[in-house]
Amino acid sequence: MNDMITIVIRTMPGREKHLDKCLFILTGQTHSNIEVVVVAQQLNESDSLELIHDVALRWASHFQGGVTVLNHVSPTDARARSLNLGKEGARGRFLAFLDDDDKVYPGHYQKLIESLQKTDFAWAYADVIRALYNEYGQLVSRSSPFKRDEYSYLDHLRGNFIPIHSFVIDTERASDAGKVDETMSRNEDYEFILRLAFRHEPLYVPGFAAEYCIRSDGSNTVSDGTGHARDSLKKRRLWNAAEDMLEEKKTENFGWWVRELERLPMVHHTDSVTYGARGADYGRNSGTFQRMLKEYYESTSWRITRPLRNFSRRLRGRPSEVVTIPPNDNMARAEIDRILLSTSWEITAPMRVVSKIVSRIR
């Protein structure tokens, strides 16, 4: 049986140090039959690929299937194109995707491939840790916001909890998976696996097998952590536009009824645990961020701007917002981060300043 897995790694010129580390980590995989396809996007024809080829050559002998480098040129973000090129060039029966800054644990691919071989599922995924690093490269926290008790398609439609490096696809069983939508520069992997899951139920394999790394220096391929506010705001605006496009794709692919999901409760969720830099559990559902979020929802600024938000949602064909407090502190913290980078927060800034002045006078 062909048990080769093709691992497609997206990168760009200038990110050779990330690619080098990524390939080094992959050499520690317990599954030995690995082919690596590195796909580099050049912003200009003149962008040199020499260093990328050097890194690939350095590690090629460590993989049975070798390391192949593909490239394409696009002045704008074409990460979906990178995935499709790698997918087209894959020789293995099994397929996995990585960004050059992702981390996978040694038994990740072996565990998923063996699980697929013992069942008739077409693809499988494992749990992923969210790791936040500061601008000095030091680990600040580790959490598990993607953790679920089991797979629920309805919950998956509401939000992605299967990061791009957490799953493996059996391309023989999922021959109808299709391509990644190249009109999308964000959420492209999420939209792809939603279509895949619509046809093939995924196999959930419990256990943490990879890390989703977020760095506050802005060096992530898609999003940054808690670094410079201006850069974060710029990325958040791009993400807001991407979310609108994603909602349109969901409706186009699955029907009008997906708009009603926001009014339904979550189906399955496991309370996430956050870890400090040394890995010690410093609290499960302490409720701090949940209380903060509740206070903001009850604030005057939130009530005043709510008509504007609902008007914007109607223009985008989305239902009016439903205010809910997430079931755990990590999700509440993520929602607070979203609010702090939102247009509503910018609009109400003068109101908060006046409120502070008045409270001091009193």
Side-chain angles (χ1 to χ4, degrees):
M1 179 182 179
N2 176 13
D3 68 346
M4 175 185 282
I5 181 171
T6 298
I7 302 174
V8 177
I9 304 176
R10 298 187 290 196
T11 193
M12 299 179 72
R15 296 182 59 85
E16 291 81 12
K17 67 176 184 179
H18 293 294
L19 177 62
D20 187 59
K21 186 174 182 180
C22 184
L23 290 172
F24 165 71
I25 291 173
L26 285 180
T27 63
Q29 285 296 306
T30 55
H31 185 80
S32 59
N33 197 359
I34 293 176
E35 172 195 40
V36 176
V37 176
V38 175
V39 184
Q41 179 192 338
Q42 299 163 270
L43 298 178
N44 303 285
E45 289 278 2
S46 58
D47 290 346
S48 175
L49 297 173
E50 182 179 356
L51 294 179
I52 289 178
H53 281 285
D54 288 345
V55 172
L57 183 62
R58 184 182 310 141
W59 296 106
S61 63
H62 293 268
F63 303 99
Q64 286 189 21
V67 179
T68 302
V69 177
L70 304 177
N71 67 287
H72 62 106
V73 180
S74 175
T76 58
D77 196 331
R79 64 186 66 243
R81 177 60 178 158
S82 294
L83 295 182
N84 281 331
L85 280 176
K87 188 170 179 287
E88 292 165 6
R91 294 183 295 126
R93 170 172 178 169
F94 299 96
L95 177 68
F97 298 126
L98 279 178
D99 284 324
D100 58 20
D101 51 7
D102 289 331
K103 293 181 180 179
V104 290
Y105 297 164
H108 179 40
Y109 295 122
Q110 180 179 0
K111 187 176 182 180
L112 292 186
I113 290 173
E114 289 181 350
S115 297
L116 287 172
Q117 289 174 331
K118 294 174 182 177
T119 66
D120 59 356
F121 283 86
W123 66 297
Y125 71 98
D127 295 314
V128 171
I129 288 285
R130 180 182 184 270
L132 177 63
Y133 292 83
N134 63 20
E135 59 186 307
Y136 305 107
Q138 299 168 320
L139 179 64
V140 175
S141 67
R142 304 176 80 232
S143 58
S144 53
F146 309 116
K147 176 72 175 173
R148 299 294 188 277
D149 289 322
E150 59 184 313
Y151 182 78
S152 162
Y153 191 68
L154 290 181
D155 279 359
H156 200 188
L157 274 170
R158 294 186 60 165
N160 191 26
F161 50 85
I162 306 180
I164 190 171
H165 56 311
S166 66
F167 60 86
V168 168
I169 301 171
D170 183 335
T171 60
E172 290 188 10
R173 295 175 180 171
S175 58
D176 57 350
K179 292 186 175 183
V180 181
D181 192 332
E182 295 186 13
T183 65
M184 305 180 74
S185 60
R186 284 168 169 77
N187 291 318
E188 72 292 335
D189 55 312
Y190 175 29
E191 195 272 343
F192 171 72
I193 60 174
L194 276 180
R195 285 186 280 115
L196 178 62
F198 190 72
R199 295 177 174 84
H200 304 279
E201 179 186 1
L203 172 64
Y204 168 51
V205 181
F208 293 104
E211 285 191 5
Y212 180 71
C213 302
I214 299 179
R215 282 174 289 277
S216 61
D217 63 1
S219 62
N220 285 93
T221 56
V222 179
S223 61
D224 55 6
T226 57
H228 304 292
R230 184 174 298 176
D231 293 337
S232 295
L233 181 60
K234 186 182 298 184
K235 286 190 176 183
R236 174 49 56 187
R237 284 172 174 164
L238 291 174
W239 272 107
N240 287 340
E243 289 296 320
D244 291 342
M245 174 178 265
L246 178 63
E247 291 302 315
E248 293 176 5
K249 292 291 182 180
K250 287 180 182 178
T251 303
E252 177 184 329
N253 292 334
F254 310 116
W256 61 269
W257 56 270
V258 298
R259 297 194 299 269
E260 296 191 348
L261 290 174
E262 294 185 15
R263 304 180 185 183
L264 299 176
M266 296 293 283
V267 180
H268 299 291
H269 187 75
T270 298
D271 293 339
S272 55
V273 182
T274 305
Y275 300 89
R278 295 185 180 180
D281 182 355
Y282 67 76
R284 178 190 293 268
N285 276 338
S286 65
T288 301
F289 293 102
Q290 290 170 309
R291 288 190 294 271
M292 290 173 59
L293 184 59
K294 183 174 184 294
E295 289 175 1
Y296 183 72
Y297 283 159
E298 293 174 351
S299 68
T300 301
S301 59
W302 180 267
R303 293 196 301 271
I304 288 177
T305 56
R306 187 174 186 181
L308 294 175
R309 291 193 303 277
N310 283 332
F311 178 70
S312 175
R313 293 170 72 92
R314 285 196 297 273
L315 290 178
R316 291 178 288 174
R318 302 177 65 182
S320 298
E321 67 179 12
V322 178
V323 175
T324 58
I325 304 298
N328 64 67
D329 238 21
N330 280 329
M331 295 180 70
R333 179 173 58 182
E335 181 63 15
I336 289 172
D337 289 342
R338 185 189 67 79
I339 289 173
L340 293 178
L341 295 173
S342 68
T343 302
S344 295
W345 186 258
E346 290 184 274
I347 292 174
T348 57
M351 186 183 304
R352 292 192 299 277
V353 172
V354 172
S355 177
K356 288 181 179 179
I357 293 174
V358 171
S359 64
R360 289 174 181 174
I361 294 174
R362 289 177 179 175

